[in-house]
Amino acid sequence: MLYAILSDDVTDSLEKRKSARPAHLKRLQALQDAGRLIIAGPHPAIDSNTPAAAGFTGSLVIAEFADLNAAQQWADVDPYVTAGVYSKVSVKPFKQVFPQ
């Protein structure tokens, strides 16, 4: 089943994001390589794909996991969590309707 992992950043998270990004991307790449990643990316703090110093306010990952517990366990050890980038992480079941 698919799960949405919605994360909110702490204030002024940009430097923490930069330092933890390689490890964070490595885990996402592993999901993609396994054919389990649907979409992933950050929420820019401003209306721009390149927000520079404005940074980001959070992230979204939609991926396939065996169950809610497995998705939560994966999210709990994300490098952005351990680096203090996120203030809150929610994991919810997700039903994809479009695209078909």
Side-chain angles (χ1 to χ4, degrees):
M1 180 167 190
L2 296 178
Y3 294 88
I5 302 170
L6 300 140
S7 306
D8 295 329
D9 279 25
V10 298
T11 304
D12 298 322
S13 63
L14 190 56
E15 290 308 313
K16 291 178 181 179
R17 271 184 171 268
K18 287 179 182 179
S19 67
R21 190 169 191 262
H24 173 75
L25 294 180
K26 184 176 180 179
R27 294 180 80 234
L28 291 171
Q29 186 65 55
L31 283 178
Q32 182 173 321
D33 293 347
R36 297 171 42 206
L37 182 64
I38 304 302
I39 194 167
H43 303 286
I46 60 172
D47 192 13
S48 172
N49 281 328
T50 54
F56 302 92
T57 62
S59 300
L60 169 66
V61 174
I62 299 177
E64 183 179 349
F65 292 92
D67 55 34
L68 180 59
N69 187 51
Q72 185 68 60
Q73 287 179 352
W74 187 89
D76 287 346
V77 295
D78 188 283
Y80 281 176
V81 170
T82 57
V85 173
Y86 295 149
S87 63
K88 178 182 177 186
V89 178
S90 300
V91 181
K92 301 177 180 186
F94 180 80
K95 180 181 178 187
Q96 183 174 351
V97 176
F98 287 100
Q100 297 181 16

